Amino acid sequence: MTSRVILHIDMDAFYASIEAMDDPALRGKPVIVGGSVRGVVSAASYEARAFGVHSAMPIAIARKKCPHGIFLPVRMNRYLEVSGQVMHILASYTPLVEQVSIDEAYLDTTGCERLKGKPLTIAQEIKKHIRQEIGLTCSIGVAPNKFLAKIASELEKPDGLTVIEPDGVASFLAALPLSKISGVGKKTQERLNKLGLETATDILKLPEKLVSSMFGKHGARLLSLARGVDEDEVVPHRQAKSLSVERTFSQDTMDPEALRKWLLFQAEELGHRLRRHSLRGKTVILKLKDQEFKVHTRRHTLSYSTSVTSTIYAAAVLLLNSVRISKPLRLIGLGISNLEGSDPQLHLWEKTDEQVSRQDEVDRAVDTLKERYGRDIIRRGSLVDFKP
Ligand SMILES: [Mg+2]
């Protein structure tokens, strides 16, 4: 079996780096991003880390450690936007991208050699691409599996690039402290250290039975990892298959105008959820339930995927018009399926028509207002008197 080429990409001090990118005055300064909600640090620049500030630390403690630090609120929408740009770049190298967090992903570039060059070249290329197009640095680990790639990406942070060649795995593990193995906590590490074990390879000195009694069902996995074996595949992001909202009326109705208002309200909610999760959907599904609990379902697949409220609403109205309603309805529901990840910038690159991007901008502006001031702050004109 030829060995695989797995890359682990991890953005450096992601939130703090974005703040410094957006405001050059912050560059080189101890920037600490933290929400007032939980009162903990979400991210700290490397300058702030030098003072012992790290994520998940209470803000109050961070202030003591770094009194001259620049404390900023979390701007999640902005970070999601940049995350989308990063993932979009990664996806241009291979469809096998598994996003594992807002700023981290695995890529499987096995077999890309002829087209894109050696693993090292691809990794250098990705770093350059992200730096030039977005303006941020990342660290990349290249290895024959996910386990090793993840460890490798941390070794030379920030702006690191570490390659573990297949024939270098054994010596790498022989020098790898146990603490670097995911799943080996502090306590376990101490126990192992007491047994005279220090590195990953040392685990192999223990009788297998002892390993399984110490680690239970994780024992087998740990032994494989100690041998440098990790068969976990890079699985392109598994997403929710669909999103939907439905509402049972307080009073049954078949008034078309009232039904349309409900659909607009629900399209707005769906669109908002899609956009918040950087998703777009292609198939719009209408569900109606009448007085006698008979359910009518209609679906319409668009020629392109969308997260635009007015597009979802237009499809919903088409569907509503296609149902012959003879009895008052007790429930209306709207859903969207055929979901795919969307990059907030994607529509610009794809040159979708201007109208769509304008709608999208309006939607996003509305989303921002809602998130900041609460969902009732803003209503579409035709929903002004609408009481859900
Ligand atoms: Mg990171």
Side-chain angles (χ1 to χ4, degrees):
M1 200 183 84
T2 56
S3 63
R4 294 180 296 157
V5 180
I6 309 295
L7 277 63
H8 180 252
I9 289 99
D10 186 11
M11 301 302 294
D12 300 324
F14 192 51
Y15 301 174
S17 304
I18 293 174
E19 295 301 341
M21 171 174 77
D22 289 353
D23 179 1
L26 299 174
R27 285 180 202 162
K29 304 240 170 84
V31 173
I32 296 152
V33 178
S36 51
V37 188
R38 289 190 305 142
V40 297
V41 174
S42 295
S45 69
Y46 288 90
E47 292 81 1
R49 291 182 197 191
F51 291 88
V53 176
H54 57 78
S55 49
M57 171 182 279
I59 295 277
I61 295 183
R63 280 192 194 279
K64 275 191 195 129
K65 288 193 180 273
C66 191
H68 62 298
I70 299 162
F71 289 79
L72 300 172
V74 176
R75 291 188 302 148
M76 194 46 86
N77 276 351
R78 174 66 178 139
Y79 311 149
L80 283 169
E81 183 185 5
V82 179
S83 170
Q85 293 167 1
V86 171
M87 298 305 152
H88 184 81
I89 288 178
L90 299 181
S92 69
Y93 288 83
T94 168
L96 292 177
V97 178
E98 178 179 343
Q99 183 176 355
V100 281
S101 75
I102 190 167
D103 74 328
E104 241 179 289
Y106 289 103
L107 263 65
D108 186 338
T109 63
T110 312
C112 294
E113 199 138 318
R114 235 185 32 198
L115 213 62
K116 307 243 179 196
K118 293 209 176 306
L120 177 66
T121 317
I122 296 178
Q124 284 169 333
E125 192 67 27
I126 291 174
K127 281 170 65 75
K128 193 170 127 199
H129 199 156
I130 292 176
R131 193 171 54 240
Q132 288 181 345
E133 203 134 308
I134 301 175
L136 294 175
T137 63
C138 64
S139 296
I140 302 186
V142 186
N145 60 49
K146 288 166 83 173
F147 162 66
L148 291 168
K150 168 128 176 122
I151 294 174
S153 72
E154 281 163 24
L155 288 180
E156 292 170 57
K157 257 185 170 304
D159 203 11
L161 172 52
T162 306
V163 181
I164 303 174
E165 301 281 358
D167 60 10
V169 170
S171 56
F172 179 80
L173 289 165
L176 186 71
L178 286 166
S179 58
K180 298 280 181 191
I181 301 181
S182 62
V184 176
K186 247 202 170 110
K187 280 208 177 119
T188 316
Q189 199 196 321
E190 281 165 16
R191 273 169 76 193
L192 292 169
N193 289 161
K194 271 189 197 137
L195 292 169
L197 311 181
E198 302 285 341
T199 71
T201 315
D202 285 346
I203 293 181
L204 301 175
K205 293 178 186 162
L206 293 177
E208 252 176 71
K209 266 205 177 135
L210 182 60
V211 175
S212 56
S213 75
M214 281 179 83
F215 298 99
K217 58 181 192 301
H218 301 297
R221 164 109 179 128
L222 194 60
L223 285 168
S224 308
L225 295 181
R227 288 190 190 96
V229 177
D230 172 22
E231 305 283 2
D232 267 9
E233 297 197 22
V234 173
V235 183
H237 201 48
R238 280 163 288 207
Q239 278 150 352
K241 289 206 181 81
S242 64
L243 291 177
S244 63
V245 282
E246 57 179 48
R247 178 64 79 97
T248 303
F249 304 128
S250 50
Q251 212 167 10
D252 295 354
T253 182
M254 53 193 294
D255 171 20
E257 200 190 331
L259 294 174
R260 280 197 297 272
K261 281 190 176 172
W262 271 106
L263 288 178
L264 179 54
F265 180 74
Q266 293 181 330
E268 174 97 49
E269 170 68 24
L270 279 183
H272 180 60
R273 277 161 63 183
L274 286 168
R275 296 185 294 272
R276 202 174 51 205
H277 296 289
S278 297
L279 292 169
R280 295 198 286 190
K282 210 168 172 183
T283 303
V284 178
I285 305 147
L286 173 73
K287 178 180 166 187
L288 303 170
K289 194 187 279 179
D290 69 22
Q291 266 179 341
E292 282 152 23
F293 289 84
K294 185 169 187 283
V295 176
H296 309 260
T297 308
R298 295 285 185 282
R299 53 188 73 224
H300 175 71
T301 298
L302 303 160
S303 53
Y304 51 90
S305 61
T306 188
S307 64
V308 172
T309 295
S310 58
T311 307
I312 300 169
Y313 173 65
V317 170
L318 269 178
L319 291 170
L320 180 66
N321 292 341
S322 74
V323 184
R324 239 201 50 185
I325 301 166
S326 52
K327 293 188 186 73
L329 301 169
R330 65 188 320 272
L331 174 146
I332 192 164
L334 190 61
I336 188 154
S337 68
N338 237 327
L339 302 184
E340 59 181 36
S342 82
D343 182 322
Q345 296 295 307
L346 198 62
H347 64 276
L348 299 178
W349 297 350
E350 278 180 345
K351 286 198 211 114
T352 39
D353 63 272
E354 221 176 292
Q355 180 103 32
V356 171
S357 15
R358 243 199 337 260
Q359 288 287 357
D360 190 53
E361 264 167 43
V362 170
D363 283 345
R364 282 174 199 284
V366 171
D367 291 346
T368 307
L369 285 172
K370 281 187 171 174
E371 272 156 31
R372 200 167 299 163
Y373 302 107
R375 47 194 330 107
D376 289 330
I377 186 71
I378 188 162
R379 286 265 175 95
R380 308 241 162 206
S382 51
L383 289 180
V384 167
D385 304 321
F386 180 72
K387 296 222 169 27

